[in-house]
Amino acid sequence: MKKQVLSVLSLSFAFWMNAQERDSLNQQKIEEVVITGQYMQKSIDKSIYKVEVIDEQQIKNMAATNAADVLNQTLNIQITPDTNSGNSTANIMGLGGDYVKILIDNIPVVGDTGLGSNIDLTKISLSNIERIEVVKGSMGVEYGNGALAGVINIITKKNSSKKLSIRAALQEETVRDGYDLKKRGKGRHIQNVNIGYNINDHWFTNISFNHNQFMGYEGNKKGYKHFGDEKIPLRGYEWNPKDQYEANALIRYSKNKTSFFYKISYLNEKFNFYNPISTPEALNDGNGGATYWATDREYNTDRWLHQFNIQTNLGHIRYMGDFSYQKQDRRYFDYTYDVPNRFRVSEKPENSYYKTDVIYSRGMFSNFLDSKKFDFQLGYELDHTNGYASLIAGDFFEASTKRKIFTYGTFLSAEWNISDQFSVRPGARLTVSEQFNNQFNYSLSTRWKTSENSNLRGVFGTANRYPTYDELYTFFVNLNHDIQGNPDLNPENGYSLGLFWDQGFSIGNGWKLNYNLEALYVDLKDKIELIMVKKPSTYKYMNMDKYRSLLFAANANIVKDQFSLGVRTSLNGISVSRFDIDATSPTDFQYNFQAGANVSYKLKNVNTAFNLYYKYTGPGRLYVLENETFKIGKTDGFHMMDFIVSQPFWKDRFELSVGVKNIFDVTSINSTANVGNAHTAGSDRLNLYYGRSYFARLMYQF
């Protein structure tokens, strides 16, 4: 870990913490609270937005190790893995990672292509996570660029009910049928430790460390040791190995109406790519001997996150502010590897291919009138991103494309509690950028408390997405291809309209039932796509396509004592209007059905817990261009199921969990809907997972 110097501290805004927290491993919260899209931390029942919460206990029950593992269980969120890069991004309602804003403690996370967008969720560990909040729909007023499909806000722990709290865990997993602890063995090996300490009534500090080592999955290939002259090369992995280290430290102060904290996080990731092609090399030993050499590549990522947050009152005006300095550097180097003898023959210098430096600030003022009936909020958001993308990151004309973006947004909203039952919140934002025209976003949200345990919410919002560097600056020309970016691209713009109904009640004998219904529509225009502009092989990024997504969902949960059952269903329809030089796609909706269930039961006397998670993703359909005509491409449906058993012992200080993930052994599925790009054909298989795995986790708590 390289030594870095933090040089920036500033004021900005987050959210006032006024609800009593709990040590979530030992007792339940009195009232579940959320912060995403709120003026202040608020009961989930009173939230103006529909917020889905995955709390710490649920995360622990899943035996998940990163954010991708958890969100894979959520309906209408599909984690899209890239086995070549090792990244896994979130897809909501058919819109990929560029349209989903990823936050940690309300601050967008630095990524390759921007702030908060296209974030690799496997790089976010869960060793110090309190809960994950998800809001579907356009949130451009609150969160600006890229919040078109939704927002995922990952909330970390910032207090503890104990003077000293220690938690450590070891988790070992097979990768399908492979497991070996030795160096360059098989499987997945995770270790983490978390220590929290209340210095006194006002000061709290916390440190955590996490190591996640994935040894790769060979699949139909034969690993890095293999060599030969096959017509179809078999060396390497279907899922390449990677090794992650993450460290976090926090110090927090809280007294009366003022609290602040400073948090630092460091991530190091090593990702190995083993070239499937190995070539014979003469040994020049006089005996005609030969060996096999391969040109392999190692990728290294360093990411630093610094955050300072303050919440206080200026008179009766509530002030909340965030400031963040974030830095990510992704590097690579090539080396020649002697496969039979297993040593590096030569090694080239290491080079950066994605480098990003971000200064981010967000500030908000509210409670100007000191009234429970009417409140308004005035805020700003500042994003200064600097860095570059080199040739390896995209098809750029120059060795590297420098990127320097400054955007500034100011937003205003008002919340009017017309009565105890009805609230309304309009909002608007103006965003100014050095490169693009001014962007205007607006929203209107309402909540109607139809009964003591029932809420009806209506939400309308707009958002925009700025073009990425690939879309702006790509330049790839050879004998067979002419692919160009477009510096004149306009930002994409869209809106969403949602209706959400929640109700809960007791049904007798200790049984409690709650259910919700939701309908959500997303409309996106000027969608950027790579379009053929001249036959046979001239392509250019253009604002052409229209995208619409329609979602209907119904969920129910029933609870009694130590038993709980949740059932979820959804129907998602997608309409894409795509254009090519000679063809236009139909615009009818293509629907996808999903269903899920989770069952939890705990034996009273011994506290043995059983958890079962199930998710079904139905067949998908999407129009794809084939032989100058748009045809329906199809993707197979699949089932996912995990089963976990946990047993505490020695006064609940230790807990052993064992289980099986991906019981149905899903790896890849048939797909004729994979859209290739201008110089890469779409595959007829879609890689999703590496198959069934077994795990054991030992956790210590003090």
Side-chain angles (χ1 to χ4, degrees):
M1 187 183 297
K2 296 181 179 179
K3 185 176 180 181
Q4 300 284 332
V5 179
L6 173 66
S7 60
V8 190
L9 285 176
S10 174
L11 297 178
S12 177
F13 173 21
F15 289 90
W16 170 241
M17 307 289 187
N18 71 338
Q20 183 177 357
E21 299 286 342
R22 48 95 169 164
D23 178 5
S24 59
L25 292 175
N26 298 308
Q27 53 185 323
Q28 289 188 335
K29 286 183 179 178
I30 297 174
E31 192 173 33
E32 192 170 38
V33 294
V34 293
I35 68 171
T36 307
Q38 313 302 320
Y39 284 6
M40 57 184 290
Q41 184 161 281
K42 184 175 290 188
S43 161
I44 191 171
D45 182 61
K46 297 178 181 178
S47 167
I48 199 77
Y49 291 104
K50 170 61 178 176
V51 184
E52 300 175 41
V53 176
I54 307 169
D55 64 28
E56 184 183 14
Q57 188 62 47
Q58 290 173 288
I59 293 170
K60 177 171 159 295
N61 290 345
M62 292 179 186
T65 58
N66 58 54
D69 292 344
V70 172
L71 293 168
N72 245 335
Q73 293 289 349
T74 305
L75 256 60
N76 304 302
I77 297 181
Q78 179 65 45
I79 301 303
T80 306
D82 184 334
T83 57
N84 292 319
S85 70
N87 290 351
S88 294
T89 57
N91 180 305
I92 294 181
M93 295 180 66
L95 289 168
D98 287 329
Y99 303 89
V100 181
K101 198 91 169 191
I102 306 297
L103 317 172
I104 295 180
D105 291 325
N106 233 41
I107 289 182
V109 185
V110 65
D112 296 335
T113 59
L115 190 64
S117 63
N118 215 25
I119 302 301
D120 177 17
L121 294 168
T122 67
K123 289 187 174 71
I124 301 176
S125 72
L126 302 174
S127 61
N128 194 38
I129 302 299
E130 181 177 287
R131 65 186 185 275
I132 299 175
E133 299 178 2
V134 180
V135 179
K136 296 186 179 77
S138 300
M139 298 282 287
V141 171
E142 287 81 3
Y143 296 106
N145 173 51
L148 264 160
V151 170
I152 298 173
N153 198 0
I154 297 163
I155 312 301
T156 62
K157 292 181 184 178
K158 301 175 190 69
N159 56 19
S160 172
S161 61
K162 298 179 179 180
K163 180 70 174 178
L164 174 66
S165 59
I166 301 173
R167 184 180 60 189
L170 296 173
Q171 186 163 324
E172 295 293 315
E173 296 186 13
T174 68
V175 173
R176 210 172 189 190
D177 55 355
Y179 178 77
D180 194 337
L181 261 176
K182 69 181 182 182
K183 185 179 180 181
R184 293 201 173 186
K186 297 181 179 181
R188 196 174 179 190
H189 317 293
I190 303 107
Q191 311 92 39
N192 61 68
V193 61
N194 188 299
I195 301 173
Y197 182 65
N198 279 304
I199 300 170
N200 54 39
D201 291 341
H202 309 301
W203 289 94
F204 171 77
T205 186
N206 174 272
I207 58 172
S208 64
F209 173 80
N210 186 75
H211 177 220
N212 189 337
Q213 186 178 33
F214 173 65
M215 306 305 295
Y217 171 61
E218 294 176 2
N220 293 322
K221 297 188 178 182
K222 296 187 177 181
Y224 76 98
K225 300 177 184 178
H226 178 77
F227 57 92
D229 298 325
E230 304 98 345
K231 291 182 179 179
I232 300 176
L234 295 176
R235 183 175 182 264
Y237 296 82
E238 286 189 3
W239 292 72
N240 289 300
K242 65 178 177 178
D243 198 7
Q244 293 176 342
Y245 292 88
E246 185 180 22
N248 300 275
L250 173 140
I251 186 164
R252 180 176 185 263
Y253 172 83
S254 179
K255 185 178 181 181
N256 298 327
K257 295 183 178 181
T258 297
S259 71
F260 62 81
F261 69 82
Y262 166 71
K263 183 175 64 177
I264 181 172
S265 174
Y266 171 74
L267 170 82
N268 174 264
E269 178 186 87
K270 182 174 74 172
F271 178 79
N272 297 101
F273 171 76
Y274 295 100
N275 197 327
I277 299 173
S278 57
T279 56
E281 295 290 336
L283 292 177
N284 297 319
D285 57 0
N287 297 318
T291 187
Y292 281 81
W293 287 0
T295 301
D296 294 337
R297 177 170 286 176
E298 181 177 307
Y299 297 88
N300 291 288
T301 301
D302 286 310
R303 185 182 71 192
W304 288 89
L305 308 180
H306 301 275
Q307 179 181 351
F308 177 74
N309 164 275
I310 185 169
Q311 311 104 39
T312 190
N313 278 18
L314 306 174
H316 61 264
I317 297 175
R318 187 179 300 114
Y319 168 73
M320 308 172 226
D322 269 312
F323 180 81
S324 179
Y325 172 66
Q326 305 184 40
K327 182 178 181 180
Q328 179 168 286
D329 187 8
R330 301 192 70 180
R331 306 177 307 280
Y332 78 98
F333 66 89
D334 293 329
Y335 59 92
T336 302
Y337 189 70
D338 186 324
V339 183
N341 297 299
R342 299 178 197 169
F343 72 91
R344 295 184 181 185
V345 177
S346 62
E347 187 174 297
K348 293 183 178 180
E350 188 175 51
N351 297 294
S352 291
Y353 67 100
Y354 264 132
K355 191 170 185 178
T356 309
D357 249 302
V358 177
I359 294 175
Y360 174 86
S361 182
R362 175 183 168 95
M364 291 179 281
F365 297 86
S366 61
N367 199 40
F368 287 89
L369 304 179
D370 197 20
S371 168
K372 294 183 179 180
K373 281 283 186 182
F374 184 83
D375 191 11
F376 68 92
Q377 180 187 78
L378 178 65
Y380 76 89
E381 185 177 46
L382 178 152
D383 170 11
H384 182 276
T385 299
N386 195 11
Y388 62 82
S390 72
L391 185 63
I392 186 180
D395 299 315
F396 302 121
F397 180 69
E398 299 176 348
S400 64
T401 297
K402 294 182 179 179
R403 47 187 185 176
K404 185 177 182 181
I405 293 181
F406 176 79
T407 59
Y408 176 81
T410 183
F411 51 96
L412 174 68
S413 65
E415 190 165 315
W416 182 18
N417 297 311
I418 298 173
S419 68
D420 292 339
Q421 286 75 39
F422 189 71
S423 302
V424 61
R425 185 203 287 183
R429 170 190 281 247
L430 168 65
T431 303
V432 179
S433 170
E434 290 181 319
Q435 289 187 288
F436 304 102
N437 294 332
N438 295 346
Q439 299 295 306
F440 296 91
N441 290 302
Y442 41 92
S443 64
L444 178 64
S445 306
T446 61
R447 182 180 72 92
W448 178 27
K449 188 176 179 63
T450 55
S451 69
E452 183 63 28
N453 297 304
S454 176
N455 287 283
L456 180 64
R457 294 176 174 89
V459 180
F460 169 81
T462 70
N464 61 269
R465 182 185 79 86
Y466 292 125
T468 65
Y469 298 102
D470 286 8
E471 294 163 346
L472 291 169
Y473 303 122
T474 290
F475 192 96
F476 181 80
V477 179
N478 61 21
L479 292 175
N480 300 313
H481 306 94
D482 185 345
I483 307 166
Q484 300 178 25
N486 185 356
D488 297 322
L489 287 171
N490 295 317
E492 299 177 356
N493 285 279
Y495 70 88
S496 69
L497 181 63
L499 193 64
F500 309 90
W501 182 33
D502 299 271
Q503 185 165 18
F505 50 86
S506 298
I507 54 178
N509 296 322
W511 291 93
K512 294 182 179 180
L513 171 69
N514 66 75
Y515 63 90
N516 65 77
L517 305 174
E518 58 186 73
L520 182 62
Y521 173 73
V522 174
D523 191 295
L524 174 61
K525 65 179 181 179
D526 292 332
K527 193 170 187 296
I528 298 169
E529 294 288 354
L530 192 60
I531 305 296
M532 179 184 286
V533 294
K534 184 179 179 181
K535 290 184 177 180
S537 57
T538 301
Y539 294 82
K540 189 175 184 178
Y541 284 101
M542 298 180 69
N543 293 100
M544 292 292 291
D545 291 0
K546 295 180 180 179
Y547 183 97
R548 296 178 296 162
S549 186
L550 185 61
L551 173 68
F552 300 99
N555 309 296
N557 292 279
I558 186 168
V559 178
K560 181 182 180 182
D561 300 328
Q562 308 294 312
F563 173 82
S564 69
L565 169 66
V567 179
R568 311 178 300 280
T569 61
S570 73
L571 185 66
N572 182 205
I574 295 175
S575 167
V576 182
S577 176
R578 299 188 62 214
F579 300 87
D580 196 69
I581 193 169
D582 291 324
T584 301
S585 71
T587 58
D588 52 319
F589 280 88
Q590 299 297 320
Y591 287 92
N592 170 258
F593 176 74
Q594 293 188 14
N598 58 279
V599 183
S600 177
Y601 183 71
K602 182 180 286 188
L603 299 176
K604 284 186 178 181
N605 296 329
V606 293
N607 289 327
T608 306
F610 303 89
N611 290 278
L612 180 72
Y613 299 91
Y614 169 76
K615 180 179 178 180
Y616 169 69
T617 301
R621 291 173 174 81
L622 179 70
Y623 282 104
V624 295
L625 186 64
E626 184 179 316
N627 298 325
E628 300 182 0
T629 303
F630 281 98
K631 298 181 179 179
I632 290 183
K634 299 180 180 180
T635 300
D636 287 351
F638 60 96
H639 302 263
M640 291 292 295
M641 182 180 287
D642 300 344
F643 179 64
I644 300 105
V645 180
S646 300
Q647 177 62 61
F649 56 96
W650 196 35
K651 300 180 180 179
D652 292 343
R653 290 191 175 180
F654 281 94
E655 182 178 271
L656 177 65
S657 301
V658 295
V660 55
K661 298 180 180 181
N662 195 352
I663 290 174
F664 296 110
D665 199 26
V666 178
T667 54
S668 61
I669 57 176
N670 295 315
S671 177
T672 58
N674 290 339
V675 181
N677 59 37
H679 55 100
T680 304
S683 170
D684 61 356
R685 298 289 295 176
L686 181 63
N687 277 335
L688 293 175
Y689 312 102
Y690 50 75
R692 185 186 301 117
S693 63
Y694 301 89
F695 79 91
R697 179 185 65 192
L698 181 64
M699 179 179 291
Y700 170 76
Q701 301 174 93
F702 173 77

